[in-house]
Amino acid sequence: MLLLTWLINAVALLAVPYLMHSVQVDTFGAALIAALILGLVNTLVRPVLVVLTLPVTLLSLGLFIFVINGLMFWVVAQLVNGFHVAGFWSAVGGALLYSIVSWALSTLLLRSKS
């Protein structure tokens, strides 16, 4: 299940450049590595940032979460060769698109049979 989720996220990351030209993913291998690091960063670093920026997030009525997501996306793009983002605001838009595509693919492919 975890491996399938990782592959879904890599495919979602490959789809983002077709929707937004300021994000580039060169190869499927780069998408796999970026998806893995994005998952790790979102699991380990993002909760700490959310807690540290809680006052700003409350004042912005939760919109600062988009900035945190964009920051995580941008940092991973700086770390992974073959994954490029033009700038910070492109990273915010790319993170939003990545989340939407990943959610849609997960909903279609990991649908529980209850």
Side-chain angles (χ1 to χ4, degrees), residues 11-107:
V11 170
L13 195 58
L14 282 173
V16 171
Y18 292 103
L19 302 169
M20 185 175 192
H21 296 290
S22 57
V23 176
Q24 283 185 322
V25 181
D26 295 340
T27 63
F28 185 68
L32 283 172
I33 293 169
L36 177 66
I37 295 176
L38 269 170
L40 290 173
V41 166
N42 282 331
T43 301
L44 302 173
V45 177
R46 186 176 179 270
V48 174
L49 284 178
V50 168
V51 169
L52 290 175
T53 61
L54 192 58
V56 176
T57 303
L58 290 173
L59 285 174
S60 68
L61 302 175
L63 293 176
F64 196 72
I65 295 292
F66 289 113
V67 174
I68 293 172
N69 289 343
L71 180 66
M72 299 294 99
F73 200 76
W74 189 51
V75 165
V76 171
Q78 299 299 315
L79 294 174
V80 176
N81 289 333
F83 176 42
H84 311 283
V85 177
F88 175 73
W89 292 110
S90 296
V92 172
L96 182 63
L97 284 173
Y98 172 68
S99 297
I100 291 169
V101 172
S102 177
W103 168 78
L105 288 173
S106 295
T107 301

